[in-house]
Amino acid sequence: MEKTPTLPQILSLARAGSPARAWAVFVGAGWDKVLDDPKALTLKGRLLKDQAKAASQPEQRAEQVRLYGEAAQAYAEAAEIRTDSYPLINAAALALLGGNAEQAANLAKQVLALIDSDPNEGENAYWRRATRAEAMLLLGRENEAQAELADAIAQLPNAWEDHAATIGQFALILNAQGRSTEWLDQYRPPSSIHFSGMIRLDPSDFSASQAIEEFLQQEQPGFAYGALAAGSDLLFAKAFLQHKARTKTLAELHVILPYPTMQFRALSVAPFGPQWEEGFDQVIQAADTVTILGLDDPPPALAVEIADHYAMGRALRNANNLQSRAKAVTLAGHGENLRPQLQYWRDVGQELAIIYGQRQPSTQGSFGQQKSVQSLATLIWLGRGTKQVMERAKQAGVTLHLHKKGCWFIHYDIVTAYRLAKHIAGSADDGQQIALLHAIMDVENPATELLSHAEALASASRSGAITTDNIGAMALTLTSAAQSIEEIGELKTIWGALPLWRII
């Protein structure tokens, strides 16, 4: 007999970014019928709110208002059972979003009265003040709300996820009130940066170091993602760590390497001199995280490109989660073309800062030109080649290749591959298992291991959702093409545990 999903389990599912699935599990377990448990009611309100936010198309407006109203009712019922500012303020905000401004104002007044009567009300000092600020905002006392929010952030200045949750809520309220949200920008968590650049940087070019310092001083980033090749990468990473020490902030450096650490050091650091090796060792030790993509000796230029896709996706996802900004910075030679991945970053509307530096004329340590049949592309695996699947593929102009119990196709563009996959797979009712693998491959003759990898990922696909690994998830995040990209755990395979993501 299967166990009934617990409220914490359903909450974890909701936090992973699948509101419809979390609601289905909640209802399937019968929690929606529980009316005397404030925890069940607050989770009900949370799940209804998530669904309302997901219904963002103009034609869904009536449904969105209905869901917000039902969410407000669930939170209000929870507050009636146990008086607490958390469900009460949520009931107030959602009443406004559900079209009941009068109820929102009445509940906001109750929130202020509750907090003023009890000095211990609220989870901590931040949430106590942030809740007061939200109640003031609901009552139209915007200047007071701003001051209270500033005081709240001063209580816990590095509680970035909490700040992001508050800013997201305030933006919903301000939009519902027809007011500008611009003033929220000054309270957003710090930006997330992707850094990259030339490997043969002239060490005598001090203007590059100065420009990086000026960039960090102006941007004040809280998160940095990139590799550690000799030259621009290491120069930026070291400057970021010095900036972190100087400002005494909790800024985070996240290093992403395409190869194992010592292999990367031998290929991309050691050939350029001992001064770079020493810097590499220091930064590796000081980094908050080091992610190894574990690529199997691909052409260096492609290894850099796919590692950039992953790092850019990480930076963008972190910024989105924190209601903040993402920005790329690169150090390039004068007159040189941008790398394709940086050009793409700019083409999709993300901010890009370019710092120009002097490249060493010597080719010592250069990757050089390496001929290869491999390319960076996206492989789509379909678990069952049904007649309907074959027909939809034919209509889309896609040739499906059979392999074992499934079939596959490859496209150079990840967005096109994703959209074709959704079309060919059909509806969730078809039960099609499908996976996306963004990798370096021979597009004419992909390795058997690559196909087996894709097949293993597809085995975890459910209800028409596409499954992928870390690289595929971050590369697709960069495109903003998918409605939802959520991490759902790990898949145990003969190659070890594969991180598993669901794309909707």
Side-chain angles (χ1 to χ4, degrees), residues 126-127 160-170 321-323:
Y126 170 78
W127 283 113
W160 292 320
E161 291 186 0
D162 292 344
H163 302 171
T166 300
I167 289 168
Q169 184 85 333
F170 278 34
N321 288 342
L322 294 182
Q323 300 281 328

Side-chain angles (χ1 to χ4, degrees), residues 58-111:
E59 63 272 17
Q60 298 174 301
R61 177 58 183 163
E63 175 69 2
Q64 185 180 55
V65 170
R66 181 188 69 80
L67 289 168
Y68 276 135
E70 290 184 7
Q73 181 63 28
Y75 276 115
E77 289 172 358
E80 288 177 3
I81 296 172
R82 186 179 65 196
T83 304
D84 187 283
S85 59
Y86 169 71
L88 202 55
I89 191 62
N90 275 285
L94 291 166
L96 175 68
L97 299 176
N100 194 334
E102 182 178 354
Q103 182 188 20
N106 290 334
L107 291 170
K109 291 175 183 176
Q110 292 180 42
V111 170

Side-chain angles (χ1 to χ4, degrees), residues 421-444:
K422 295 284 285 184
H423 170 75
I424 295 170
S427 68
D429 296 335
D430 291 346
Q432 178 66 61
Q433 291 186 315
I434 182 167
L436 178 151
L437 197 58
H438 189 63
I440 297 168
M441 65 187 78
D442 178 351
V443 297
E444 299 296 331

Side-chain angles (χ1 to χ4, degrees), residues 157-415:
N158 295 313
W160 292 320
E161 291 186 0
D162 292 344
H163 302 171
T166 300
I167 289 168
Q169 184 85 333
F170 278 34
L172 288 173
I173 293 170
L174 288 166
N175 284 326
Q177 294 174 333
R179 299 172 182 264
S180 172
T181 62
E182 287 186 7
W183 63 266
L184 291 175
D185 291 346
Q186 63 188 304
Y187 301 113
R188 295 185 186 278
S191 59
S192 299
I193 300 297
H194 171 257
F195 61 92
S196 64
M198 68 175 74
I199 197 169
R200 293 198 318 272
L201 179 67
D202 189 337
S204 65
D205 184 5
F206 297 109
S207 62
S209 296
Q210 182 178 353
I212 290 173
E213 291 287 349
E214 291 173 356
F215 172 84
L216 291 171
Q217 183 63 31
Q218 178 179 353
E219 187 65 31
Q220 297 289 318
F223 310 86
Y225 300 82
L228 289 183
S232 305
D233 289 353
L234 270 171
L235 196 65
F236 187 94
K238 290 174 67 177
F240 181 82
L241 290 173
Q242 292 167 358
H243 170 78
K244 174 181 178 178
R246 184 170 58 251
T247 57
K248 297 181 180 179
T249 62
L250 296 180
E252 299 175 6
L253 174 64
H254 299 281
V255 172
I256 293 94
L257 303 179
Y259 316 111
T261 304
M262 296 313 295
Q263 182 183 356
F264 184 88
R265 189 180 189 275
L267 286 172
S268 304
V269 182
F272 301 91
Q275 74 277 16
W276 295 113
E277 292 180 276
E278 182 181 354
F280 177 86
D281 295 338
Q282 292 172 349
V283 173
I284 281 289
Q285 290 296 319
D288 290 271
T289 65
V290 178
T291 300
I292 310 297
L293 299 186
L295 304 182
D296 188 18
D297 199 26
L302 292 179
V304 169
E305 186 173 358
I306 198 169
D308 275 349
H309 284 183
Y310 178 82
M312 287 174 168
R314 286 273 305 271
L316 188 57
R317 185 175 181 85
N318 190 63
N320 290 340
N321 288 342
L322 294 182
Q323 300 281 328
S324 186
R325 296 167 52 247
K327 192 168 186 176
V329 55
T330 190
L331 207 157
H334 292 279
E336 296 180 356
N337 293 327
L338 288 174
R339 294 174 180 172
Q341 56 269 37
L342 291 169
Q343 185 63 53
Y344 185 82
W345 173 273
R346 190 159 64 179
D347 288 347
V348 296
Q350 300 299 333
E351 295 181 76
L352 173 65
I354 304 174
I355 297 172
Y356 291 100
Q358 186 65 40
R359 187 185 291 275
Q360 283 182 307
S362 170
T363 59
Q364 180 182 5
S366 170
F367 288 144
Q369 299 296 320
Q370 180 179 346
K371 292 184 178 180
S372 174
V373 297
Q374 294 185 303
S375 303
L376 180 57
T378 302
L379 183 146
I380 300 296
W381 176 274
L382 297 156
R384 293 187 300 112
T386 64
K387 182 178 179 181
Q388 292 84 354
V389 165
M390 295 297 182
E391 183 60 31
R392 285 191 290 262
K394 183 179 179 180
Q395 292 171 354
V398 172
T399 300
L400 293 178
H401 304 273
L402 300 178
H403 182 80
K404 295 184 179 179
K405 296 181 180 180
C407 52
W408 56 270
F409 71 90
I410 291 174
H411 202 286
Y412 286 104
D413 178 62
I414 189 172
V415 175

